[in-house]
Amino acid sequence: MTELTKTLELKLVEPNANKRRKLCETREVYQQALHHAFDAGCTTQTEANDIVVNYDLSGYAKNALKKYVPQLTTTYNAGDLHDDHPVRFTNEGLRFDHKPENAIEWYVKIPHHEDYHLWLPAQPNPDQRDWLEALNAGDATMGEGRLFERDGTWYLHVTATRDVEDGSEVSAEERTPIGVDIGEASLVTVCHRDGHGSPTDPELWADEGKTVRRLRKTYFTATRRLQTRGSERISESFGDDLWKRIDEVFHRVTREVVEYAESVEDPVLVLEDLTYIRESMDYGEYMNRRLHGWGFAKLHAQIRYKAVEKGIPVETVNPRNTSKECHACGEVGYRPKQATFTCTNDACWMGEYQADVNGAVNIADRYLSGESCSREHENDDDSAEDGACLAAPQDSQADATTQETLGPYAS
Ligand SMILES: [Zn+2]
């Protein structure tokens, strides 16, 4: 077992003037409390508590300060404080919310005053989606958060940790690639080649594809109807419930994909590179996939973090024509039906083949042909660019369980 720790980077997406002012307020009061406690030479949490308790700050910020100031004065022996320390919050004060139906999918809850917090839309670093999925599912633990502003943009950095199994030492070339195809008919299809090179053990999650399509359709028709009636609240909670059910399907399928990989000796899971998918498609196809883009990204992110948990490596490959080429001869064929691939090469032994399995084998083969990318591209997230903003979580007075200033870090 190894413990992985990562700093998750989220950009707060254009907070309005009111929220911006509140963030500035928090920062200002935090700096005052920090300087006050530091200048007073507090070396224990109790001493720091006596000072920060008087400031109009959230208890989560006060608790973080009580822990931080003694570190500055004793461990780091800091002589001087500069002026732009990030505002720290203990993890209990932060929360994420995922709304895949919205243009900006992620929201973060940031404490403001003692009984007040803000919900803000946030754009995560796209390379860290797997971590957010893990956090969202309770498979990673959130640590301290740090809020700061750079060049007029606000950011929240949050540390997260999770336990992963150590992988085997087998070299990349000796691994057995398992192709993972994500689609509409079959939500996920996996396949690999046996020792003789024949495709073997294909597994398709077709019923789940059907379930997800049905839930999505229900969501879009029902919310449209409720919204025209002005029942936004009902529409929102109804939508949340449907997306939660889709997410449950995703989690089960991605867990089973990783179990499939565990049944293969020295596996590597091979996914299509999402960036290429966008670049290599024509517009209609692109828009179609864009609508399902969150599904791709979400399934990929969940497979990634669950595979890493089990010590299984994940690679991405160029997806160009993976669904159009014949896995036996490489010729571009066609799909007379959604589920069928037909090879047009007369010299090829293969006539018809299950289309999703053909795609999965092609994806696996690209790993061996060296068409893999070590990681997905930076900035593969265009979700901020289009789409209307739907309902967002509401800022509110804190829950009934108001946090105590003397929280878990009190001495
Ligand atoms: Zn062929």
Side-chain angles (χ1 to χ4, degrees):
M1 274 300 196
T2 306
E3 191 184 73
L4 286 186
T5 299
K6 190 141 202 144
T7 298
L8 308 187
E9 305 155 1
L10 295 114
K11 184 172 91 176
L12 306 185
V13 184
E14 293 166 17
N16 62 30
N18 183 39
K19 295 196 182 192
R20 204 170 269 274
R21 197 169 55 243
K22 289 190 161 97
L23 292 173
C24 288
E25 258 173 49
T26 296
R27 178 179 56 188
E28 213 161 289
V29 180
Y30 181 90
Q31 297 297 337
Q32 289 166 10
L34 171 63
H35 280 261
H36 189 174
F38 180 79
D39 293 341
C42 299
T43 54
T44 65
Q45 298 202 4
T46 316
E47 286 171 14
N49 181 63
D50 289 342
I51 287 177
V52 305
V53 74
N54 302 308
Y55 284 85
D56 190 11
L57 274 175
S58 150
Y60 304 116
K62 291 181 192 174
N63 283 336
L65 269 173
K66 287 187 307 201
K67 206 171 73 154
Y68 183 51
V69 173
Q71 283 176 4
L72 282 174
T73 51
T74 58
T75 313
Y76 304 133
N77 277 319
D80 233 347
L81 279 188
H82 55 90
D83 277 336
D84 58 349
H85 272 265
V87 179
R88 288 161 188 264
F89 300 104
T90 56
N91 58 353
E92 303 92 335
L94 304 165
R95 201 181 305 158
F96 290 109
D97 193 8
H98 192 207
K99 292 192 170 289
E101 69 274 30
N102 287 9
I104 306 290
E105 295 180 20
W106 293 93
Y107 290 83
V108 286
K109 184 178 126 176
I110 296 179
H112 179 43
H113 291 313
E114 191 67 73
D115 298 332
Y116 196 88
H117 57 255
L118 306 167
W119 276 105
L120 294 155
Q123 197 90 65
N125 176 338
D127 288 337
Q128 300 180 332
R129 272 196 183 139
D130 48 343
W131 279 86
L132 286 171
E133 287 291 333
L135 268 182
N136 223 29
D139 291 330
T141 313
M142 191 148 51
E144 198 178 61
R146 295 176 300 287
L147 171 76
F148 60 93
E149 186 195 350
R150 288 280 175 278
D151 302 323
T153 305
W154 286 88
Y155 297 89
L156 182 74
H157 284 184
V158 181
T159 54
T161 51
R162 60 194 164 114
D163 289 328
V164 302
E165 279 174 30
D166 300 320
S168 70
E169 297 291 315
V170 177
S171 72
E173 305 82 59
E174 287 172 276
R175 292 192 176 271
T176 302
I178 299 166
V180 181
D181 184 66
I182 297 196
E184 276 291 283
S186 171
L187 186 63
V188 179
T189 304
V190 294
C191 193
H192 68 285
R193 291 185 187 262
D194 64 17
H196 307 289
S198 304
T200 185
D201 295 335
E203 195 166 342
L204 293 88
W205 282 266
D207 288 347
E208 288 80 0
K210 217 177 286 173
T211 306
V212 169
R213 279 202 306 282
R214 182 173 50 78
L215 288 169
R216 284 172 53 92
K217 196 161 169 248
T218 310
Y219 170 79
F220 285 115
T221 45
T223 51
R224 206 170 300 135
R225 202 169 55 230
L226 287 164
Q227 275 166 358
T228 50
R229 280 205 240 128
S231 313
E232 242 112 54
R233 279 273 154 217
I234 302 172
S235 148
E236 194 191 332
S237 68
F238 181 68
D240 282 349
D241 181 57
L242 286 174
W243 292 111
K244 199 186 281 171
R245 281 161 66 189
I246 291 176
D247 199 31
E248 278 164 15
V249 175
F250 278 18
H251 274 293
R252 180 169 56 75
V253 171
T254 52
R255 197 178 58 241
E256 287 169 5
V257 166
V258 173
E259 280 166 11
Y260 177 99
E262 285 182 292
S263 73
V264 174
E265 204 180 340
D266 299 321
V268 51
L269 281 165
V270 188
L271 306 175
E272 292 179 301
D273 187 313
L274 295 172
T275 324
Y276 281 116
I277 287 180
R278 275 215 317 277
E279 287 167 357
S280 63
M281 281 185 306
D282 64 46
Y283 187 73
E285 202 182 354
Y286 167 70
M287 281 315 287
N288 196 31
R289 288 245 185 156
R290 171 69 187 87
L291 290 172
H292 307 293
W294 66 271
F296 268 69
K298 213 168 159 55
L299 286 163
H300 275 193
Q302 290 186 6
I303 289 169
R304 271 173 184 283
Y305 93 75
K306 287 174 194 187
V308 171
E309 261 177 16
K310 300 292 183 189
I312 296 170
V314 179
E315 284 287 340
T316 55
V317 295
N318 187 336
R320 190 178 146 74
N321 282 348
T322 48
S323 62
K324 292 177 187 153
E325 280 173 12
C326 169
H327 74 265
C329 69
E331 180 114 336
V332 172
Y334 70 103
R335 291 166 82 148
K337 292 188 300 239
Q338 177 67 24
T340 310
F341 174 85
T342 301
C343 182
T344 46
N345 179 0
D346 290 337
C348 179
W349 62 265
M350 203 187 82
E352 289 196 339
Y353 209 79
Q354 210 292 334
D356 296 310
V357 178
N358 181 60
V361 177
N362 281 332
I363 292 167
D365 287 353
R366 296 222 169 155
Y367 173 80
L368 294 173
S369 67
E371 286 191 60
S372 64
C373 332
S374 59
R375 66 201 307 247
E376 287 179 28
H377 290 205
E378 303 279 325
N379 305 320
D380 72 337
D381 192 349
D382 65 343
S383 57
E385 290 166 21
D386 47 25
C389 188
L390 302 176
Q394 298 298 305
D395 301 333
S396 69
Q397 298 296 319
D399 325 337
T401 54
T402 307
Q403 67 275 18
E404 302 270 334
T405 301
L406 277 166
Y409 297 113
S411 49

